[in-house]
């Protein structure tokens, strides 16, 4: 599948950003706490010891205690750790410290303490889970192997505990050569080259691929495939060829399929042939190669995972093979086929294949849900969008009740100090399990404190009692509306995009460097400023709402114009870059919903759907004339022959 860096815009990964209006409210103790945080980041235990007494009674004193305990955790007495856990039993810090301690206990082999404490851990921490599996293996638990396989088969680095467990299992023969090669394939397919190389250490001496040969294939897979010097009677050489084909298919599936058909496949066992055809089919589906459907067929009746069936369904959608869409969804697990995505597309397949009544039954299952496919299903049934009745607003007593919850008090204090990562963890931990009334009260508390992202996300969790005016808040509406009008952009679309980009947090920064309301990348900001002949340009101003909106709406209008006014294509280009959006455009017209569903990057696929769904809900909340979602999605026209897939001269490649 594609392995490229795109702009990280998920609201879950936003970095430090202030709650507006709080900077002026910092008191001397807050300044000391920030100094303590700096001491923790610098691993300065002595400095923390000096600062801690000055923070007695501070709302965030538990953090100072946690920082001190964490820095001495490997040598800390169990009594000290359990004392902290007992004093803050319902706090996210207790959960965090427990996970930290379990990692220390597992790493040092203190299994009695580990086994006693592990059951109290609420969350799922992969590293801790690996140590739990190792502890079970040491107790000779025969069921460990089946549970461990979910880690072993996953295309990711193994946590430390699982590395130790894997070595032990290889030594006892519980993990054999076939399992090691299967993991090697998964890692190569995910382009985790370093992990794939380290995986060779699990093979018996003399059976691994020589490092020199593997490096040569990693550098130039096509060059190797043109003249593969390999003894295909040997497993290592066959795996080297499969690795080369996988890496080549990541760039050009048709070329890789040509090498495979050109004589290589006959020398491989049937199981290997099925694997390669499935790999080619997946890479072809990611790149919208119509032959990918045939390549799935070449794999025969191989057991397909839900992910593979999803991509088989997507390439069938892209080629309008509705019978294949239906059969792919039918073969999914019950959990997968009941996802709204596949409920909707199964209904569409039934309708296209001449079963309208059956199709309506599927649409009715999700038509009342407030998301992309719920809205599309409702429109298939002719049901117009109606915002759910607004629940009675939370009373002042209800708001005071949630405001008194220690976790929410700490969260707001952390937002005030720009410690956004910790604040969000506190907030999410505290609202888990809340009923609708308490969620609405917490959302209102966040709104009053201008923690817009928490207000929106908390209101988004309600099940029966809703307040869509909070779920679709529009802070900075005047600024955004004015910039939208000046660029001839629909206000609801701009708001829908900003909701997905930053949740209206002006100081938001993504891990990739995108900043502000519209999450503008620095190269994009410079490019737009040059085009606008802006005289007072400064990257430091990206957190200013008006400045950020001016740059963001200019660029949004630019990509909208470049993509024939298609908001679907423009949203994809805004997220992943115009070059990729041009490539995904293809050479034939495609329905907008199908285009969105077949975007190969999971983040961008989710992003485009949410931006478009946000748009129709903002239009409804703001009372603007309704336009159905399907109409907004429209048809994505073919890529123009002169357009190619190369970015225009001077245009930033990635937004």
């Amino acid at each position: 599948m594609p392995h490229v860096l795109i702009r990280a815009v998920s609201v879950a990964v936003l970095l430090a950003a202030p709650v507006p209006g709080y900077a002026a409210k910092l008191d001397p103790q807050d300044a000391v706490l920030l100094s303590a945080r700096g001491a923790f980041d610098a691993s300065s235990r002595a400095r923390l010891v000096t600062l801690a007494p000055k923070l007695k009674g501070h709302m965030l004193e538990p953090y100072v205690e946690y920082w001190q305990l964490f820095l001495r955790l490997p040598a800390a007495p169990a009594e000290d750790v359990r004392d902290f856990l007992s004093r803050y039993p319902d706090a996210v810090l207790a959960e965090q410290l427990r996970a930290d301690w379990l990692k220390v206990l597992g790493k040092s082999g203190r299994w009695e303490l580990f086994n006693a404490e592990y059951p109290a851990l609420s969350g799922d921490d992969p590293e801790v889970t690996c140590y739990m599996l190792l502890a079970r293996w040491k107790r000779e638990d025969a069921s460990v192997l089946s549970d461990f396989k979910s880690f072993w088969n996953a295309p990711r680095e193994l946590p430390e505990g699982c590395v130790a467990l894997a070595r032990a299992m290889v030594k006892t023969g519980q993990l054999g050569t076939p399992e090691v090669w299967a993991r090697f394939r998964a890692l190569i397919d995910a382009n985790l080259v370093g992990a794939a190389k380290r995986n060779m250490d699990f093979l018996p001496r003399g059976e691994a691929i020589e490092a020199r040969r593997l490096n040569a294939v990693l550098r130039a897979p096509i060059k190797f495939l043109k003249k593969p010097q390999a003894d295909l009677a040997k497993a290592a050489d066959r795996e080297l060829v499969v690795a080369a084909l996988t890496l080549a298919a990541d760039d050009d599936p048709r070329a890789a399929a040509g090498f495979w058909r050109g004589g290589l496949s006959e020398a491989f066992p049937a199981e290997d042939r099925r694997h390669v055809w499935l790999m080619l089919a997946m890479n072809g589906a990611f790149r919208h190669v119509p032959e990918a459907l045939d390549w799935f067929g070449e794999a025969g009746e191989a057991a397909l995972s839900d992910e593979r069936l999803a991509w088989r369904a997507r390439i069938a959608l892209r080629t309008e093979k509705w019978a294949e869409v239906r059969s792919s969804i039918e073969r999914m697990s019950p959990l997968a086929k009941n996802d709204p995505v596949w409920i909707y597309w199964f209904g569409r397949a039934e309708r296209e294949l001449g079963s309208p009544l059956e199709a309506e039954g599927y649409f009715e299952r999700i038509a009342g849900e407030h998301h992309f496919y719920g809205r599309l299903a409702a429109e298939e049934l002719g049901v117009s969008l109606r915002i759910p009745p607004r629940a009675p607003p939370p009373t002042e007593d209800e708001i005071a009740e949630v405001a008194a919850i220690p976790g929410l008090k700490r969260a707001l204090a952390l937002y005030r100090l720009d410690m956004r990562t910790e604040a969000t963890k506190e907030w999410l931990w505290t609202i888990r399990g809340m009923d609708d009334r308490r969620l609405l009260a917490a959302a209102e508390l966040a709104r009053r404190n201008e923690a817009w992202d928490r207000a929106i996300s908390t209101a988004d969790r309600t099940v029966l009692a809703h307040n869509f005016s909070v779920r679709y808040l529009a802070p900075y509406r005047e600024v955004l509306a004015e910039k939208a009008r000046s660029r001839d952009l629909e206000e609801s679309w701009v708001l829908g995009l900003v909701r997905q980009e930053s949740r209206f947090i002006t100081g938001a920064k993504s891990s990739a460097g995108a900043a502000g309301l519209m999450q503008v990348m620095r190269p994009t900001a410079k490019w737009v400023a040059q085009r606008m002949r802006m005289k007072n340009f400064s990257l430091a101003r990206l957190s200013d709402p008006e400045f950020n909106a001016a740059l963001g709406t200019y660029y949004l209008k630019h990509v909208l114009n470049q993509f024939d006014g298609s908001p679907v294509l423009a949203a994809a280009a805004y997220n992943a870059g115009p070059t990729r959006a041009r490539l995904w455009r293809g050479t034939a017209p495609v329905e907008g919903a199908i285009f969105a569903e077949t975007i190969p990057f999971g983040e961008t696929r989710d992003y485009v759907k949410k931006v478009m769904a946000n748009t129709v809900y903002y239009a409804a909340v703001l009372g603007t004339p309704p336009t159905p979602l399907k109409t907004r999605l429209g048809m994505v026209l073919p890529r123009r022959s002169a357009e190619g897939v190369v970015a225009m001269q001077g245009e930033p490649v990635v937004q």
Side-chain angles (χ1 to χ4, degrees):
M1 63 185 293
H3 313 291
V4 293
L5 176 66
I6 65 173
R7 186 173 57 102
V9 297
S10 167
V11 293
V13 298
L14 296 177
L15 305 178
V19 173
Y22 270 156
K25 300 179 184 177
L26 293 179
D27 59 33
Q29 264 200 321
D30 288 337
V32 174
L33 190 128
L34 289 175
S35 295
R37 172 57 192 268
F40 172 68
D41 290 340
S43 299
S44 176
R45 290 173 60 182
R47 178 71 172 150
L48 270 173
V49 168
T50 301
L51 294 170
K54 301 177 184 179
L55 292 161
K56 288 293 182 183
H58 192 281
M59 173 62 60
L60 299 178
E61 184 182 1
Y63 279 82
V64 183
E65 292 185 58
Y66 167 79
W67 295 333
Q68 289 182 287
L69 195 49
F70 178 87
L71 290 181
R72 61 186 182 90
L73 199 53
E79 295 76 15
D80 290 2
V81 178
R82 285 177 168 159
D83 174 64
F84 183 94
L85 297 177
S86 67
R87 286 188 292 112
Y88 304 107
D90 299 320
V92 70
L93 277 178
E95 175 78 357
Q96 196 168 315
L97 181 66
R98 182 173 284 112
D100 295 332
W101 192 35
L102 286 167
K103 291 169 191 176
V104 168
L105 296 174
K107 187 172 184 176
S108 59
R110 296 154 70 186
W111 298 116
E112 186 176 346
L113 276 173
F114 181 96
N115 291 331
E117 194 62 38
Y118 178 78
L121 188 70
S122 299
D124 180 22
D125 185 299
E127 190 175 346
V128 174
T129 302
C130 279
Y131 282 123
M132 178 270 293
L133 293 171
L134 183 58
R136 285 171 52 194
W137 185 82
K138 288 181 177 294
R139 298 198 304 268
E140 299 184 354
D141 184 337
S143 65
V144 168
L145 181 59
S146 60
D147 292 340
F148 173 63
K149 281 185 176 178
S150 64
F151 282 90
W152 179 258
N153 295 329
R156 63 183 179 189
E157 293 277 5
L158 286 175
E160 189 173 335
C162 281
V163 171
L165 180 55
R167 286 176 181 151
M169 287 184 167
V170 167
K171 198 178 229 182
T172 60
Q174 290 172 280
L175 274 182
T177 300
E179 288 82 12
V180 177
W181 284 125
R183 176 166 168 77
F184 175 75
R185 288 178 177 182
L187 293 169
I188 289 291
D189 192 46
N191 206 29
L192 295 173
V193 173
K197 289 180 178 180
R198 287 186 286 278
N199 192 66
M200 293 291 97
D201 295 339
F202 294 114
L203 289 167
R205 188 181 299 276
E207 292 187 26
I209 301 171
E210 295 175 23
R212 174 186 56 81
R213 298 182 72 205
L214 180 55
N215 286 332
V217 165
L218 294 173
R219 284 193 304 270
I222 295 289
K223 181 180 178 181
F224 172 82
L225 289 169
K226 286 179 178 176
K227 225 175 163 183
Q229 296 181 346
D231 179 358
L232 297 181
K234 296 180 179 178
D237 283 31
R238 290 197 301 274
E239 294 300 334
L240 191 63
V241 170
V242 172
L245 286 164
T246 302
L247 294 167
D250 190 45
D251 186 53
D252 188 344
R254 286 192 177 102
F259 287 118
W260 183 238
R261 287 188 187 276
L264 283 173
S265 64
E266 288 81 359
F268 282 75
E271 186 176 350
D272 287 348
R273 290 200 296 272
R274 286 194 292 270
H275 168 82
V276 173
W277 280 120
L278 282 175
M279 177 275 295
L280 292 170
M282 288 291 284
N283 277 283
F286 296 144
R287 284 153 189 79
H288 309 141
V289 175
E291 300 96 299
L293 206 51
D294 297 329
W295 298 342
F296 275 113
E298 292 277 7
E301 292 303 310
L304 297 182
S305 64
D306 285 335
E307 183 188 12
R308 285 171 170 166
L309 288 166
W311 278 103
R312 187 177 184 271
R314 289 185 181 114
I315 192 60
L317 281 171
R318 194 80 182 208
T319 53
E320 297 186 349
K321 302 286 180 61
W322 291 101
E324 301 289 351
V325 173
R326 183 170 65 180
S327 69
S328 297
I329 299 170
E330 283 176 331
R331 293 169 63 184
M332 291 179 183
S333 69
L335 181 65
K337 69 172 64 172
N338 283 304
D339 187 297
V341 175
W342 303 120
I343 291 174
Y344 173 78
W345 288 116
F346 196 89
R348 283 287 304 276
E350 289 281 38
R351 194 184 68 186
E352 297 291 340
L353 294 170
S355 301
L357 291 178
E358 288 82 351
E360 286 185 9
Y362 281 91
F363 297 143
E364 286 169 354
R365 287 173 58 186
I366 59 171
E369 297 174 14
H370 304 293
H371 50 63
F372 183 81
Y373 282 114
R375 188 84 293 277
L376 285 178
E379 290 177 3
E380 298 290 349
L381 296 169
V383 178
S384 300
L385 174 59
R386 292 185 180 86
I387 296 296
R390 181 174 177 174
T395 66
E396 291 302 319
D397 285 345
E398 287 175 315
I399 296 168
E401 183 183 337
V402 296
I405 298 173
L408 296 190
K409 291 171 73 173
R410 286 193 295 268
L412 292 175
L414 288 161
Y415 282 127
R416 185 179 69 240
L417 296 172
D418 298 353
M419 293 170 61
R420 186 165 196 81
T421 300
E422 294 89 345
T424 301
K425 286 180 181 178
E426 282 276 9
W427 190 276
L428 291 175
W429 179 264
T430 306
I431 67 170
R432 74 196 194 290
M434 282 188 175
D435 60 22
D436 284 356
R437 291 302 304 173
R438 283 162 67 85
L439 286 171
L440 289 173
E444 176 59 17
L445 176 67
R447 189 195 68 79
R448 292 182 180 186
N449 283 280
E450 299 185 14
W452 311 121
D453 59 333
R454 292 304 98 213
I456 291 168
S457 298
T458 305
D460 220 10
R461 288 171 172 250
T462 58
V463 178
L464 297 173
H466 303 297
N467 185 344
F468 271 52
S469 65
V470 177
R471 190 179 288 201
Y472 291 93
L473 274 175
Y476 312 106
R477 183 186 172 189
E478 289 185 6
V479 169
L480 291 166
E482 189 274 323
K483 298 303 179 188
R485 283 193 299 271
S486 71
R487 303 290 175 209
D488 194 24
L489 296 170
E490 184 185 1
E491 179 188 357
S492 297
W493 185 48
V494 173
L495 289 171
L497 183 137
V498 174
R499 183 183 191 268
Q500 195 57 29
E501 289 286 349
S502 68
R503 289 285 200 264
F504 301 95
I505 300 300
T506 59
K509 292 181 181 178
S510 79
S511 56
L517 280 180
M518 298 190 71
Q519 289 291 275
V520 180
M521 294 286 283
R522 290 183 169 219
T524 303
K526 292 176 182 177
W527 182 82
V528 169
Q530 289 173 353
R531 300 261 301 193
M532 293 176 67
R533 293 185 172 85
M534 188 177 286
K535 294 180 180 179
N536 58 344
F537 173 76
S538 169
L539 289 172
R541 296 179 61 203
L542 283 175
S543 60
D544 174 71
E546 187 164 354
F547 181 77
N548 191 283
L551 297 174
T553 53
Y554 182 99
Y555 186 73
L556 187 59
K557 180 65 173 181
H558 167 73
V559 292
L560 186 66
N561 288 341
Q562 291 304 314
F563 291 103
D564 305 321
S566 167
V568 177
L569 272 167
Y574 195 89
N575 177 257
T579 299
R580 297 188 187 107
R582 291 187 189 99
L583 183 64
W584 300 336
R585 192 173 188 174
T587 57
V590 61
E591 181 185 328
I594 293 176
F595 174 88
E597 185 53 49
T598 56
I599 291 172
F601 296 170
E603 180 187 307
T604 305
R605 185 167 61 250
D606 182 65
Y607 173 90
V608 170
K609 293 179 194 176
K610 285 181 176 173
V611 167
M612 297 307 298
N614 288 348
T615 302
V616 297
Y617 281 103
Y618 268 113
V621 168
L622 299 178
T624 57
T627 301
L629 176 57
K630 195 166 185 178
T631 302
R632 291 178 179 278
L633 295 169
M635 293 291 292
V636 172
L637 300 178
R639 186 170 64 239
R640 296 186 294 273
S641 58
E643 182 181 55
V645 295
V646 180
M648 294 173 295
Q649 186 175 9
E651 182 180 79
V653 176
V654 179
Q655 160 60 0

